Amino acid sequence: MLQALMEYGNGLDSEPGFKTREVRWCVELDADGRFLNVLPLGDGNRGAMHHRCPDMHGMNAGGKSHFLVETVQTVLLMFKANEETIKIAGTADKHSFFIAMLGKAAHSFTQLSALVNALGNESQLSIIRAALIEKKAKPSDWLCFRVDGKDPREAIAVQAWWREWRKSDMGGDNMPSTSTSNGDMVCFLTGEVAQPLLTHPKITGLSGVGGLSMGDVMVGFDKGAFGSFGLKQSANAAMNADAAQKYVDGLNDLIRNRSRKLANALVVHWFKAQVALEDDPLEWLHGFESQEQTEAAAQIASRQLLDAIRTGKRADLGSNHYYALTVSGAAGRVMVRDWMEGNFEDLVCNIEAWFTDFAIVARDGVVQARDPKFMAVCGALVRELKDLPAPTAATLWKVALQRLPIPQPIMAQALARFRTDLVDKDQPPFNHARMGLIKAYFVRLNSGGNQTMTAYLNREHPEPAYHCGRLLAIFSNLQYAALGDVGAGVVQRFYAAASQTPGLIIGRLTSNARNHLGKLEGGLAHWYENQIADVMGRLGDGAPRILDLNGQGLFALGYYQQLAALREGKKTDNITKQGETK
């Protein structure tokens, strides 16, 4: 996993001592340090990503600041209302350190003298603070400068000065205690002999999933119990500074640009060779956010790409490799919840199978429902998406990417929500993603698949439980045809019992159906009698007395698909009648 992250970081502008930061404000000064303007950066929601921001080491010691690019609070001593006195005092030390660093660098790069002049002048500081307050800047926002139209961060001479100062300041403090005489070890990632880094840079962007705003450690050994052979800190997983910086920069870039929230975790994915967005199977799985999704759009796209790979038209993708990582934060550490990797073609095949297995007739009975987005499937298990347990979301994610069977507990959740929504008339009549999940459960129940589970009604289905569900749908329509809307009808009153003990309920419902048939006109009554007789004839010796979880799932599918078929029949009749009148 770390190897793959390091290789991803190789494609970034990554170097120890530098970091990519989200900067929201730019203070413009003239060549003499006179304040000109404050410019907002980014799109209003996020700041601009600035590469090669000098990153100070040893910040835990206190009193230090980063060089050139820092927070509004540190650079300008701007605080939120009622800030604690101790924090104000600590920030004053960091502010002084920031100006002192600029002064040292100004000896080698004279343009920085303008920054020193501006920040050392209280009246100038007050003017800049007022301008930022007017633009509603926050003390925690990151800030950069432009002097005489140029960003000193981008100057080659400034970067060279920073490298030399950092190298001199670090000295031998980062040398670990090892069993070798010179302190060198074999790097865990590169295999080269090098000096291991004792503390690694932090992973940022996990504050929304349990992480700390200041960042979390991916590789760290801050407890004696975590170490071995007398090695200090991260020498227990020896990596040189360059390799560590690359895996950290790689994961930070993925979290910023290629992550999605999955319950209380983040999932990121990438490929060994770059893949265009329209060819990314996991984008299909999540749904096309910027396009209107047509019926079966994702399923068609996956099949077309799979055909292109297998016929050699897209040989570039056939040899590609995918990586998927699920992470969250926990007490200052990065928690790796899941890691998957594999062949690109296998991924496309598994995503195509996901859409095929989840294909289900729409509630109107005319066409198939749209391919469900992954989060729509997750949301089909709970009343509100925020209630979805993280392990459930992670399991479904793995089911999708690796074409695994759907676990029985997830099937049980789907059935429970289905029953609840049938009783609650304020809920939508049917959730397509939920019905697709129930169907996919049976398709994947056996390794060879299940040919009896189709998207539309299967009148030849071999299981009595399926036909019991069909009967309930017919009884429900019959009641509505005879009596209209009666509030709590057959489904609301009897679905739970009928789906668990049909042998005890079906007979009662059949007797009641005779009363409803007597209220209909001859032709319609005859039609319903034929429908009931046809389904009853498929029950064999009679309805099962008790249904297990699988039987209840078949009951639900039979009920839903029969209702869809009845609705499709009504629409067909209406179209025929309209044609006859014309």
Side-chain angles (χ1 to χ4, degrees):
M1 177 190 72
L2 291 175
Q3 182 80 31
L5 286 170
M6 183 190 72
E7 291 176 358
Y8 180 84
N10 280 332
L12 305 174
D13 188 15
S14 180
E15 180 185 346
F18 294 91
K19 187 173 184 178
T20 299
R21 296 193 185 279
E22 182 183 342
V23 184
R24 288 188 173 270
W25 306 99
C26 178
V27 174
E28 289 195 310
L29 307 173
D30 66 11
D32 297 324
R34 183 173 60 88
F35 172 67
L36 298 176
N37 194 16
V38 169
L39 295 177
L41 303 178
D43 59 6
N45 295 319
R46 297 181 64 178
M49 303 312 299
H50 280 194
H51 301 287
R52 293 206 165 268
C53 297
D55 187 46
M56 181 64 69
H57 55 277
M59 291 289 284
N60 291 336
K64 287 184 177 181
S65 71
H66 296 289
F67 175 57
L68 273 182
V69 182
E70 250 292 358
T71 62
V72 171
Q73 179 173 281
T74 296
V75 177
L76 302 173
L77 297 176
M78 190 175 95
F79 301 94
K80 63 182 182 181
N82 303 318
E83 185 61 88
E84 297 177 359
T85 304
I86 188 171
K87 188 167 185 178
I88 293 175
T91 302
D93 293 338
K94 295 172 69 175
H95 173 76
S96 299
F97 184 89
F98 185 82
I99 296 177
M101 286 291 292
L102 291 174
K104 293 176 183 179
H107 293 300
S108 302
F109 193 75
T110 55
Q111 286 87 337
L112 291 178
S113 299
L115 267 177
V116 177
N117 294 337
L119 298 180
N121 186 319
E122 182 55 40
S123 62
Q124 284 281 75
L125 276 181
S126 299
I127 294 172
I128 299 173
R129 272 197 299 263
L132 283 164
I133 290 172
E134 182 180 355
K135 293 182 180 292
K136 300 182 179 180
K138 299 178 183 177
S140 58
D141 291 345
W142 286 84
L143 179 78
C144 69
F145 293 90
R146 289 180 69 87
V147 179
D148 196 22
K150 297 179 181 179
D151 186 344
R153 170 187 58 87
E154 298 175 344
I156 301 299
V158 172
Q159 294 179 10
W161 179 89
W162 168 247
R163 289 189 191 94
E164 289 302 316
W165 182 90
R166 181 175 179 274
K167 181 178 178 181
S168 173
D169 188 67
M170 289 178 68
D173 293 341
N174 210 36
M175 185 78 73
S177 172
T178 69
S179 57
T180 59
S181 58
N182 60 4
D184 286 349
M185 298 179 70
V186 176
C187 176
F188 185 73
L189 293 182
T190 66
E192 300 173 353
V193 176
Q195 183 183 107
L197 198 62
L198 279 184
T199 57
H200 290 199
K202 292 184 177 181
I203 306 299
T204 56
L206 298 179
S207 57
V209 289
L212 303 178
S213 58
M214 67 184 70
D216 305 276
V217 176
M218 185 81 161
V219 177
F221 299 80
D222 60 344
K223 304 288 190 301
F226 297 163
S228 58
F229 300 104
L231 298 176
K232 293 183 179 179
Q233 296 178 295
S234 294
N236 285 274
M239 299 178 212
N240 63 46
D242 186 61
Q245 190 68 49
K246 284 180 178 177
Y247 90 73
V248 168
D249 286 349
L251 183 52
N252 281 337
D253 183 80
L254 288 166
I255 289 173
R256 279 193 301 268
N257 302 312
R258 298 187 65 88
S259 68
R260 292 176 185 267
K261 193 169 183 181
L262 188 64
N264 63 344
L266 289 183
V267 293
V268 300
H269 77 276
W270 70 103
F271 303 95
K272 189 170 185 178
Q274 189 172 358
V275 173
L277 189 65
E278 60 269 20
D279 293 332
D280 187 343
L282 296 184
E283 288 297 321
W284 307 334
L285 185 63
H286 286 296
F288 297 101
E289 301 294 345
S290 60
Q291 304 175 26
E292 183 179 350
Q293 188 183 14
T294 60
E295 284 80 359
Q299 188 176 7
I300 292 172
S302 59
R303 287 178 179 172
Q304 290 176 341
L305 186 58
L306 200 56
D307 288 342
I309 293 172
R310 290 173 175 173
T311 57
K313 295 179 181 178
R314 296 300 305 272
D316 58 312
L317 296 178
S319 59
N320 208 344
H321 209 72
Y322 79 90
Y323 308 95
L325 174 65
T326 306
V327 293
S328 62
R333 293 181 175 275
V334 176
M335 177 183 291
V336 177
R337 293 184 174 272
D338 200 7
W339 166 250
M340 289 176 279
E341 61 177 298
N343 184 272
F344 183 86
E345 181 179 345
D346 293 338
L347 176 64
V348 178
C349 186
N350 292 343
I351 299 302
E352 191 275 335
W354 169 274
F355 292 123
T356 300
D357 296 347
F358 273 73
I360 194 75
V361 60
R363 62 179 68 94
D364 63 8
V366 178
V367 296
Q368 284 189 21
R370 292 181 177 181
D371 295 325
K373 295 180 182 179
F374 178 78
M375 292 310 296
V377 176
C378 292
L381 300 174
V382 289
R383 180 176 288 274
E384 295 184 22
L385 195 54
K386 64 181 180 64
D387 299 328
L388 182 71
T392 301
T395 298
L396 273 176
W397 179 247
K398 197 159 190 172
V399 164
L401 269 62
Q402 297 189 343
R403 200 175 183 176
L404 300 175
I406 296 173
Q408 200 171 65
I410 292 181
M411 167 68 161
Q413 280 184 267
L415 283 176
R417 288 304 316 164
F418 179 70
R419 288 193 295 266
T420 300
D421 286 356
L422 281 178
V423 175
D424 187 354
K425 285 204 165 190
D426 292 332
Q427 294 297 319
F430 293 105
N431 183 298
H432 290 147
R434 183 184 302 137
M435 301 315 300
L437 186 148
I438 295 172
K439 175 198 166 233
Y441 168 83
F442 289 104
V443 172
R444 299 187 176 201
L445 196 56
N446 302 312
S447 57
N450 190 330
Q451 302 302 317
T452 63
M453 301 314 304
T454 58
Y456 294 85
L457 177 67
N458 180 7
R459 291 182 170 83
E460 306 300 324
H461 199 287
E463 294 295 331
Y466 182 84
H467 298 292
C468 289
R470 291 182 61 199
L471 267 180
L472 185 64
I474 295 172
F475 289 152
S476 174
N477 267 29
L478 171 59
Q479 182 186 54
Y480 185 83
L483 305 177
D485 189 357
V486 295
V490 170
V491 174
Q492 285 72 34
R493 294 170 59 195
F494 294 106
Y495 182 90
S499 64
Q500 297 175 53
T501 57
L504 303 179
I505 302 297
I506 293 298
R508 178 179 175 182
L509 295 179
T510 303
S511 298
N512 197 38
R514 295 192 185 98
N515 298 326
H516 296 152
L517 288 169
K519 299 181 183 298
L520 300 179
E521 296 178 0
L524 187 56
H526 182 67
W527 184 87
Y528 271 109
E529 284 178 342
N530 287 339
Q531 292 293 311
I532 295 170
D534 178 67
V535 178
M536 292 288 286
R538 300 177 187 278
L539 292 181
D541 297 333
R545 290 184 59 82
I546 298 175
L547 295 180
D548 59 10
L549 182 67
N550 286 359
Q552 293 172 38
L554 290 171
F555 186 100
L557 277 175
Y559 170 76
Y560 172 77
Q561 291 179 329
Q562 180 65 63
L563 272 185
L566 291 170
R567 289 173 177 174
E568 192 275 337
K570 288 181 179 179
K571 292 195 174 187
T572 303
D573 290 344
N574 289 337
I575 293 171
T576 302
K577 290 176 181 178
Q578 290 172 7
E580 290 173 352
T581 58
K582 291 179 182 179

